């Protein structure tokens, strides 16, 4: 059984990433902007990373603010030092 | 072994640094081409971001608006901008671009709907002094546009400093490229491309490039101690360990895997670029004396790009590069639907075969994976012939 290392949310548009970052800040949720991993295709180049314990809150926050279909959640799974991303 | 600890995805970590700079209030100017006077942007206190897009994703986005029969660079650059998938474009306060080829200049009309876009009118040929005069005037117009759009002043002093610094960077780049003169060449194309990405997207670019140049010097000394030879005009030597290839033609970042890496996998060694990411744009400095605007105009006009007609400088620069880097074969990359390079390739091919006496391969390709097998077949046949 692998533990989820962290979650990321990627966006189809950079403007959406910036809007989401603003929301994370406003709510005081721990996060970091990171380059979208290579394995996560067809998104803009920036994603936001956050911790597993904030998942429900982040989903609700993003879902309420941004239009359906332009954001995608992934779970980062670390296995033998290698990180893979599974879409949720 | 080469040069720096990049994370292999420099373009993407560049996004983060770009965002940080934006958050600090720096202005960003997006550019596409070797004709852009980067010194003006630096003197304006702004950060320059290269917006040329290299992905098939971008092409598909571009084709939603633009006709399909356009070069992938044009389609992808517009596609990434219009779909807001490219953070560099997103953070750009303005774009400075040139009327190079037809596809690009018409695409800029669409781009200007998304961002303030200053279009510099590029002369079509260089046969008279009027071209330099005209282009010098375009430098002044670009200065005014940058000042107006960003609300800054570009002082003579800042411009001189930017010219001096960029020349220094060009000299460092030449030092880095000169590693390719070694036979055998100790740096693989993959290492080289990663190192170049690391430099291109670093924000202390000058310092990064300078460190790389120092490392390049060490690599050269070490290789020479171990029996390598430094190629050059008239330097006698035996058969190359691996066929030494020069890349010319269109911008090649979008076809790295399919062509550049495939050439090395087939047993060749890419040692020189005579394209916009190579020695040709670094050799010429901007004169540090006299009128800086005319100096920037004179320098940039020596890009030897196929959009100029005629384009005699390209033959001279190609010949020099082949001698300097001890080239065994020339590979020309033509992006699909790039008319100027495709047409020029006919004469360049003849020149390389007949005047330089070297094998020549022209590869027309795009950013998709669909012709991967076909490329590999042609590349393998070409390299085998030289073994
Ligand atoms: S190939 Fe020509 S148009 Fe393209 S970047 Fe170079 S100078 Fe500009
Ligand atoms: S590769 Fe050719 S068609 Fe494409 S932007 Fe450059 S000059 Fe224009």
């Amino acid at each position: 059984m692998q533990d989820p290392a962290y979650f990321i949310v990627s966006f189809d548009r950079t403007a959406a990433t910036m809007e989401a970052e603003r929301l994370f800040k406003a709510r005081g949720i721990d996060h970091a902007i990171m380059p979208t991993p290579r394995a996560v295709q067809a998104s803009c180049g920036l994603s936001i990373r956050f911790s597993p314990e904030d998942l429900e809150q982040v989903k609700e926050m993003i879902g309420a603010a941004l239009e359906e279909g332009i954001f995608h959640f992934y779970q980062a799974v670390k296995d033998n030092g290698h990180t893979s991303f599974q879409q949720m | 072994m080469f040069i720096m600890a990049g994370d292999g995805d420099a373009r993407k970590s560049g996004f983060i640094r770009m965002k940080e700079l934006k958050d600090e209030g720096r202005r960003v100017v997006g550019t596409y081409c070797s004709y852009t006077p980067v010194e003006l942007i630096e003197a304006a206190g702004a950060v320059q971001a290269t917006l040329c897009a290299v992905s098939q994703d971008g092409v598909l986005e571009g084709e939603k608006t633009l006709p399909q029969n356009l070069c992938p660079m044009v389609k992808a650059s517009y596609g990434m901008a219009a779909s807001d998938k490219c953070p560099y474009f997103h953070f750009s306060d303005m774009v400075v671009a040139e009327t190079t080829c037809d596809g690009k200049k018409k695409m800029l009309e669409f781009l200007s709907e998304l961002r303030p876009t200053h279009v510099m009118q590029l002369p079509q040929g260089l046969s008279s002094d009027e071209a330099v005069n005209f282009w010098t005037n375009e430098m002044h117009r670009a200065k005014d546009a940058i000042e107006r759009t960003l609300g800054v002043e570009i002082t003579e002093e800042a411009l001189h400093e930017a010219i001096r610094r960029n020349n220094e960077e060009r000299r460092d780049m030449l030092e880095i490229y000169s590693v390719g003169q070694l036979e055998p060449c100790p740096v693989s194309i993959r290492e080289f491309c990663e190192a170049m990405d690391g430099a291109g997207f670093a924000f202390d670019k000058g310092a990064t490039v300078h460190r790389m140049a120092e490392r390049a010097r060490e690599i050269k000394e070490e290789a020479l101690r171990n029996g390598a030879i430094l190629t050059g005009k008239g330097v006698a030597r035996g058969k190359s360990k691996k066929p030494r290839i020069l890349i010319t033609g269109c911008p090649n970042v979008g076809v790295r895997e399919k062509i550049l890496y495939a050439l090395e996998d087939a047993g060749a060694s890419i040692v020189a670029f005579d394209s916009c990411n190579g020695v040709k744009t670094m050799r010429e400095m901007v004169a540090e004396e006299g009128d800086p605007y005319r100096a920037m105009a004179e320098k940039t006009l020596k890009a030897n790009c196929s959009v100029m007609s005629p384009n005699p400088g390209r033959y001279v620069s190609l010949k020099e590069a082949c001698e300097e880097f001890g080239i065994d074969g020339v590979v020309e990359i033509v992006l699909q639907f790039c008319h100027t390079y495709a047409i020029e390739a006919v004469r360049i091919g003849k020149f390389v075969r007949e005047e330089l006496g070297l094998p020549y391969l022209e590869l027309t390709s795009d950013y998709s994976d669909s012709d991967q097998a076909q490329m590999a077949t042609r590349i393998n046949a070409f390299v085998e012939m030289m073994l």
Side-chain angles (χ1 to χ4, degrees):
Chain A
M1 177 69 194
Q2 301 148 325
D3 284 335
Y6 56 89
F7 287 91
I8 68 168
V9 53
S10 77
F11 304 88
D12 288 355
R13 298 196 292 266
T14 312
T17 318
M18 296 301 107
E19 171 61 11
E21 188 203 21
R22 200 185 58 74
L23 296 169
F24 272 91
K25 278 186 180 155
R27 291 240 199 144
I29 304 173
D30 266 355
H31 68 282
I33 296 266
M34 64 178 267
T36 304
R38 228 187 263 267
V40 176
Q41 279 296 319
S43 292
C44 98
L46 290 170
S47 296
I48 301 178
R49 167 183 172 153
F50 57 92
S51 340
E53 63 263 27
D54 294 322
L55 179 63
E56 286 316 311
Q57 194 189 351
V58 172
K59 271 183 160 170
E60 175 270 315
M61 172 179 84
I62 301 282
L66 295 173
E67 100 201 45
E68 195 61 40
I70 74 158
F71 54 87
H72 316 279
F73 284 93
Y74 293 84
Q75 181 175 329
V77 181
K78 282 193 182 152
D79 197 15
N80 281 331
H82 176 81
T83 309
S84 61
F85 294 88
Q86 286 158 13
Q87 184 155 16
M88 297 165 61
Chain B
M1 75 182 287
F2 198 37
I3 294 180
M4 51 180 299
D7 61 2
D9 209 349
R11 186 175 175 84
K12 288 194 163 177
S13 24
F15 295 153
I16 306 279
R17 286 194 293 269
M18 185 63 82
K19 179 175 180 301
E20 286 165 3
L21 285 171
K22 274 299 272 198
D23 289 346
E24 286 165 21
R26 290 287 291 276
R27 314 306 292 281
V28 179
V29 178
T31 68
Y32 293 95
C33 176
S34 302
Y35 285 107
T36 314
V38 286
E39 288 83 1
L40 274 180
I41 296 168
E42 195 167 308
V47 185
Q48 179 236 337
T50 304
L51 300 177
C52 304
V54 294
S55 71
Q56 181 64 8
D57 274 354
V59 169
L60 297 175
E61 289 291 347
E63 285 177 355
K64 290 180 184 168
T65 308
L66 298 170
Q68 186 261 331
N69 57 349
L70 276 178
C71 123
M73 239 290 283
V74 169
K75 287 187 292 195
S77 296
Y78 178 71
M80 292 304 276
S83 63
D84 191 21
K85 283 203 164 78
C86 171
Y88 285 130
F89 185 83
H90 183 87
F91 296 132
S92 291
D93 295 286
M94 74 179 295
V95 170
V96 176
E98 303 73 19
T99 54
T100 48
C101 60
D102 287 353
K104 207 195 280 165
K105 74 185 178 202
K106 297 307 283 183
M107 179 274 273
L108 294 175
E109 295 175 14
F110 290 77
L111 205 68
S112 65
E113 291 167 5
L114 306 171
R115 277 293 177 289
T117 299
H118 177 72
V119 180
M120 299 178 72
Q121 303 290 331
L122 188 70
Q124 297 283 289
L126 307 173
S127 2
S128 79
D129 271 357
E130 274 317 299
V132 183
N133 294 340
F134 180 83
W135 190 232
T136 304
N137 195 42
E138 284 301 296
M139 294 288 155
H140 285 284
R141 281 211 320 125
K143 169 191 183 267
D144 294 343
I146 294 170
E147 288 185 328
R148 210 171 40 242
T149 312
L150 302 186
V152 295
E153 192 198 340
I154 297 173
T155 64
E156 289 277 304
E157 204 188 338
L159 189 53
H160 276 294
E161 174 50 26
I163 288 174
R164 196 200 52 74
R165 202 206 61 74
N166 277 283
N167 283 343
E168 212 169 276
E169 191 176 303
R170 289 186 188 105
R171 282 188 282 270
D172 281 335
M173 288 296 284
L174 287 175
E175 184 70 44
I176 296 168
Y177 283 120
S178 74
V179 169
Q181 281 179 275
L182 289 166
E183 166 53 32
C185 177
V187 178
S188 77
I189 191 63
R190 283 182 177 83
E191 283 175 295
F192 184 77
C193 288
E194 272 182 28
M196 281 299 146
D197 285 354
F201 299 114
F203 283 113
D204 52 347
K205 191 170 170 212
T208 307
V209 171
H210 192 67
R211 276 198 307 279
M212 287 170 65
E214 279 170 2
R215 180 75 188 108
R217 244 172 249 129
E218 287 167 20
I219 290 176
K220 261 171 36 186
E221 280 165 19
E222 197 186 309
L224 292 172
R225 269 200 307 277
N226 293 332
I229 296 168
L230 202 59
T231 62
K233 191 175 177 184
V235 174
R237 60 181 180 90
K239 190 172 165 29
S240 311
K241 203 162 158 226
K242 291 176 173 181
R244 299 170 60 82
I245 304 292
L246 174 138
I247 303 289
T248 186
C250 294
N252 47 52
V253 179
V255 293
R256 264 183 190 172
E257 310 254 339
K258 214 164 39 172
I259 298 183
L260 303 186
Y261 297 174
L263 271 161
E264 290 214 344
D265 291 343
S269 179
I270 297 174
V271 297
F273 290 94
D274 191 50
S275 44
C276 271
N277 53 341
V279 281
K280 85 171 185 182
T281 57
M282 301 298 162
R283 276 218 189 89
E284 302 293 336
M285 303 291 150
V286 178
E288 294 179 22
E289 308 296 319
D291 173 13
Y293 292 89
R294 193 170 179 88
M296 287 187 293
E298 284 174 344
K299 187 260 177 255
T300 47
L301 282 182
K302 289 179 193 143
N304 298 330
C305 175
S306 68
V307 297
M308 289 293 163
S309 183
N311 185 24
R314 184 161 172 220
Y315 299 84
V316 179
S317 133
L318 188 59
K319 181 165 190 273
E320 273 174 19
C322 285
E323 290 168 351
E324 205 174 313
F325 288 88
I327 295 303
D328 297 314
V330 172
V331 173
E332 171 135 41
I333 295 173
V334 175
L335 292 178
Q336 212 169 30
F337 304 116
C338 173
H339 300 319
T340 55
Y341 275 101
I343 296 168
E344 205 162 275
V346 178
R347 301 183 73 189
I348 290 284
K350 196 166 184 293
F351 175 76
V352 171
R353 288 192 192 99
E354 291 174 10
E355 309 253 330
L356 307 182
L358 294 173
Y360 169 89
L361 175 69
E362 188 240 293
L363 295 170
T364 298
S365 189
D366 59 15
Y367 294 170
S368 77
D369 293 333
S370 59
D371 60 351
Q372 207 163 6
Q374 190 201 342
M375 286 295 132
T377 307
R378 297 192 59 201
I379 286 168
N380 283 316
F382 182 70
V383 175
E384 258 163 44
M385 179 192 78
M386 286 186 293
L387 289 175

